[in-house]
Amino acid sequence: MAEFFNVALTFPTLPYSIVLAFAVVYWLLAACGVVDDGFATDGIDLGGGEEGLHGISGMFSRLGLGGAPVMLVIALLAFFGWTGTYLTHLFLLQPLPVPLRWAAGSAVALLALVPAVPVTAVILRPVRRLLLRLRAVPQTSLLGRIGVVASPQVTDTTGYATVDDGGAGLILQVRLPEGQTLPRGSRLVLIDYVAEHNHYRVAAEDSHPALSFQDSLIAGDKEIHR
């Protein structure tokens, strides 16, 4: 065990150990709901804002690592890079003199990513297929439909409503503009779908009379609009 920590916490394995530890802590926090798990989007912001996120995602796409959360890709790259670097460090680099070990270790740390990239790409193939199945499809066809508040009230932070879709009906998360509320039983109009939060922005029915009339026509002809 002492030898394991000695190798894992010294150069060239140490950088990979730090990244891998960060990834493990991140996913533990994600499992507890403390941070976003990244599966709702195609990655996370690592401090560079929208531009930084697109840059990292674009680089991964060129390497065949796109279509998966950025933190998942980083965790896999760190794991395989760490494994290759650790084994090389353990069996080949430890006996070398310190200056030579640092020089050779730098090369090993960089070259460890060469096999890590294709191995990660292979593992991500089934993950991407699974994510495509799990990804919610925005129900933009419901925009303009009339719903009825089913929760005690709808505000800008909470609430849900029932919507007649011509079948069994739908229960949807809905949100009003800030400062507005609607009590249970009120009628509302779906005006926008927010995919990242999986809810609809709505307005009171009396503020959209044209949409209300259109919805009444659709609801009255269910045989045609199923």
Side-chain angles (χ1 to χ4, degrees), residues 32-213:
C32 296
V34 177
V35 297
D36 182 12
D37 61 12
F39 283 94
T41 59
D42 190 28
I44 63 166
D45 190 347
L46 298 179
E50 195 71 18
E51 182 179 349
L53 173 59
H54 289 165
I56 295 173
S57 298
M59 179 183 66
F60 283 162
S61 295
R62 287 191 292 272
L63 294 173
L65 305 175
V70 170
M71 279 304 301
L72 176 60
V73 179
I74 291 175
L76 290 172
L77 287 175
F79 173 75
F80 292 117
W82 182 90
T83 301
T85 305
Y86 176 86
L87 294 176
T88 305
H89 188 178
L90 178 65
F91 294 111
L92 298 178
L93 299 182
Q94 280 199 112
L96 299 178
V98 173
L100 185 57
R101 186 168 71 241
W102 274 80
S106 300
V108 168
L110 292 175
L111 292 175
L113 288 174
V114 175
V117 170
V119 173
T120 300
V122 170
I123 291 178
L124 287 177
R125 288 173 190 169
V127 174
R128 279 193 290 263
R129 288 194 292 268
L130 176 62
L131 290 178
L132 286 175
R133 293 193 188 101
L134 296 177
R135 186 168 294 168
V137 179
Q139 307 223 5
T140 55
S141 62
L142 296 177
L143 299 184
R145 292 293 187 94
I146 299 299
V148 178
V149 177
S151 56
Q153 65 177 358
V154 173
T155 67
D156 60 321
T157 59
T158 185
Y160 58 90
T162 57
V163 176
D164 182 4
D165 65 340
L170 299 171
I171 299 178
L172 305 174
Q173 294 286 335
V174 293
R175 301 291 185 268
L176 280 166
E178 186 174 359
Q180 298 184 22
T181 61
L182 282 175
R184 190 195 305 271
S186 301
R187 288 167 61 88
L188 47 78
V189 183
L190 307 180
I191 59 175
D192 190 21
Y193 178 70
V194 184
E196 57 268 29
H197 299 297
N198 192 31
H199 69 237
Y200 287 84
R201 283 198 282 264
V202 299
E205 179 194 19
D206 54 14
S207 64
H208 290 73
L211 291 177
S212 175
F213 174 74

